[in-house]
Amino acid sequence: MKYSNAKSKLDKLAQKSYSEFYRHPEYEAAVTHWLQSPQYEYPFFPENFLSDCLRLFTRKKESHKNKKLIAEEEVYYQPQLSFGYEDIPFPPPKNPNFTFIDLFAGIGGFRIAFQRLGGKCVFSSEWDKYAQKTYEANFGEVPFGDIREIDEKTIPEHDVLCAGFPCQPFSLAGVSKKNSLGKKHGFEDETQGTLFFNIAKVLECKKPKAFFLENVKNLLRHDKGKTFAVIEKTLKELGYVFNYKIVDAGAWVPQHRERIFLVGFNPDKVNISQKEILIPTTPQKSYRYPELKNLINDNVEGFTIGPGTWETLKRHKQHHAKNGNGFGYSLLTFPIKNGQVTRTISARYHKDGAEILIEQKNNRPRRLTIEEAMQLQGYNPKKFVFPVSKTQAYRQIGNSIAIPAVTDTAKEIAQFIKK
């Protein structure tokens, strides 16, 4: 049975018999998670609905009038919970060799990396409703919402915890903006800064074999190093052996993107020392680097920035130049050289495209197309879909991870946990 058909069946069942559950904000998350992993119980999933789901997707025991029939030949009541996922771009692996969860999942960059290695995602969480739509369109699963509302005890057991937790409280731009508005940042930011401790709660409760956390490099220096010291202290108290590195994704994709990768292992479940925790800063020799000149199209319509935006960007650049700094827009000119990289694409790219503008002859510059922006993060534009507006797609790409860089570290993690 196809994923979409099975989901439709459950929708009808819930509408008819469980109207209260059907109206629950986490209904779709609970149902789509269960469809992919029916062996687990999920948050907010009523027991009576679970039993009816099992009854809906099972084969009833056949009755036999012939009393002489040998018992071993009878067809027993057995679950028929094998769903097909050919109607989604990134189906779960048929024969997974480890499990992981995807916290602060965004649009699923971590999931693509770990699924490529044979991992099965058994739980995902992402609060942004537009990112949830993109996630479901690609993986057939609606992530649960606010992780603060999830009881960590209800999260399934797993081997690896993945989390690209919110970086705004720690990024240079985020801290600067919050300071200008008189707002708190870092761990004092009650909405985002404390979300690391939700990760810690899951680690303490489920004690997975490993974790992989990602954030902006400024996390190391934030609040004169005090923020990262708290993170280190917390992870040590939880008993994890861990290592970290600043990784520039520009070694894998033509985009300068420095991020801190933090990888740890549970020594009770994995025999490993800190020195053995490898976080690659360059790809393997066999890796085929996607040259920027091959990703940028020279004849594109519909992405030219407006005259007001262009004049504003030029004024800003002139202002910064007078103050002796290099802030302002970045313009990509032709011919593009081998090995050339762009600036870091961010979640604000949709506003004016200032980080990466493309020159156009006899015209104002243009933004990257969605397909070009995707490839700077390692997404396949022929496979990955965005069922959202251009604005939301740009935001989601800018908030995501560079998949090839994450994949190489994920390989190192998978190598140890498979042992």
Side-chain angles (χ1 to χ4, degrees):
M1 179 181 292
K2 284 187 177 181
Y3 156 78
S4 54
N5 293 339
K7 186 171 180 291
S8 177
K9 264 190 170 186
L10 290 175
D11 280 340
K12 291 176 182 176
L13 173 65
Q15 277 181 302
K16 185 177 180 181
S17 308
Y18 300 92
S19 58
E20 185 177 343
F21 175 46
Y22 186 74
R23 291 193 299 269
H24 193 285
E26 298 284 19
Y27 161 74
E28 286 196 309
V31 165
T32 54
H33 274 74
W34 181 81
L35 280 171
Q36 293 207 17
S37 303
Q39 69 271 38
Y40 296 111
E41 293 184 11
Y42 282 100
F44 314 113
F45 210 117
E47 288 186 15
N48 52 351
F49 185 62
L50 178 60
S51 62
D52 279 352
C53 291
L54 289 167
R55 196 175 299 117
L56 182 65
F57 295 106
T58 52
R59 182 191 301 163
K60 293 180 180 178
K61 180 180 176 181
E62 294 182 8
S63 60
H64 297 281
K65 295 180 180 179
N66 185 358
K67 295 182 179 179
K68 295 182 180 180
L69 187 68
I70 299 174
E72 284 77 7
E73 293 179 353
E74 289 185 7
V75 180
Y76 282 90
Y77 178 93
Q78 45 183 251
Q80 297 295 290
L81 299 174
S82 178
F83 301 114
Y85 292 91
E86 61 269 20
D87 48 348
I88 59 175
F90 299 90
K94 292 183 179 179
N95 299 300
N97 45 41
F98 66 94
T99 58
F100 66 96
I101 65 171
D102 197 6
L103 304 184
F104 312 102
I107 57 175
F110 267 110
R111 184 160 183 158
I112 290 176
F114 277 90
Q115 279 193 179
R116 283 176 180 172
L117 303 172
K120 170 76 178 289
C121 184
V122 295
F123 180 86
S124 59
S125 173
E126 167 56 47
W127 72 274
D128 184 86
K129 65 180 181 179
Y130 299 106
Q132 286 181 337
K133 289 181 180 180
T134 301
Y135 198 98
E136 182 189 15
N138 286 281
F139 304 103
E141 178 182 292
V142 178
F144 284 92
D146 192 339
I147 190 63
R148 294 170 298 184
E149 302 299 322
I150 305 291
D151 182 351
E152 59 271 14
K153 297 184 186 69
T154 64
I155 295 175
E157 302 294 325
H158 52 278
D159 295 316
V160 186
L161 180 152
C162 303
F165 60 108
C167 63
Q168 289 87 347
F170 312 110
S171 69
L172 288 170
V175 170
S176 177
K177 183 176 181 180
K178 288 178 186 293
N179 281 336
S180 67
L181 296 173
K183 294 183 177 181
K184 296 177 180 179
H185 54 81
F187 284 145
E188 293 185 2
D189 183 332
E190 294 178 359
T191 59
Q192 293 179 315
T194 57
L195 289 172
F196 165 75
F197 296 110
N198 291 95
I199 296 173
K201 285 181 180 179
V202 179
L203 290 174
E204 182 178 25
C205 178
K206 296 299 176 177
K207 297 182 173 26
K209 292 180 181 178
F211 65 75
F212 185 175
L213 310 182
E214 181 261 7
N215 210 296
V216 292
K217 71 171 185 176
N218 193 54
L219 180 66
L220 276 175
R221 301 193 302 270
H222 182 265
D223 197 14
K224 300 179 180 179
K226 294 177 183 177
T227 297
F228 194 71
V230 171
I231 291 175
E232 284 189 297
K233 181 174 181 290
T234 303
L235 294 173
K236 286 178 181 176
E237 288 175 348
L238 291 173
Y240 279 85
V241 177
F242 60 92
N243 201 358
Y244 62 88
K245 274 186 183 178
I246 301 297
V247 177
D248 187 351
W252 287 267
V253 291
Q255 176 202 181
H256 175 63
R257 191 181 191 86
E258 290 182 305
R259 293 292 185 268
I260 183 170
F261 286 5
L262 186 61
V263 175
F265 289 87
N266 183 339
D268 293 333
K269 297 181 178 180
V270 180
N271 185 19
I272 190 171
S273 65
Q274 185 185 41
K275 292 181 179 179
E276 292 176 294
I277 301 175
L278 301 180
I279 302 174
T281 54
T282 56
Q284 297 176 350
K285 291 182 179 180
S286 59
Y287 181 74
R288 188 175 179 181
Y289 187 83
E291 288 291 345
L292 184 62
K293 64 181 181 180
N294 296 328
L295 306 186
I296 302 298
N297 299 309
D298 56 8
N299 187 16
V300 172
E301 295 182 1
F303 291 84
T304 302
I305 62 174
T309 300
W310 182 224
E311 291 302 317
T312 300
L313 288 175
K314 287 194 290 186
R315 284 199 304 271
H316 284 174
K317 186 149 189 169
Q318 290 172 356
H319 172 74
H320 288 302
K322 288 180 181 178
N323 292 333
N325 62 53
F327 296 133
Y329 68 85
S330 173
L331 185 64
L332 187 63
T333 59
F334 296 94
I336 300 173
K337 301 175 183 178
N338 283 339
Q340 191 167 341
V341 298
T342 69
R343 283 186 181 178
T344 305
I345 189 168
S346 73
R348 68 167 303 282
Y349 186 77
H350 66 92
K351 293 183 178 180
D352 52 27
E355 305 101 292
I356 311 165
L357 291 172
I358 315 298
E359 75 164 352
Q360 297 185 111
K361 289 184 179 180
N362 304 317
N363 200 351
R364 297 180 301 277
R366 68 170 177 87
R367 292 180 178 86
L368 295 164
T369 66
I370 301 298
E371 291 73 19
E372 291 167 339
M374 290 170 69
Q375 293 176 86
L376 291 183
Q377 295 280 50
Y379 285 87
N380 183 349
K382 293 180 181 179
K383 192 174 182 181
F384 196 91
V385 296
F386 281 100
V388 291
S389 67
K390 286 182 181 178
T391 296
Q392 289 297 335
Y394 281 130
R395 287 184 63 192
Q396 291 170 8
I397 292 167
N399 273 328
S400 190
I401 60 171
I403 295 173
V406 166
T407 300
D408 274 4
T409 293
K411 285 179 183 176
E412 298 295 334
I413 296 171
Q415 175 184 314
F416 276 97
I417 63 172
K418 286 176 184 178
K419 289 180 181 179

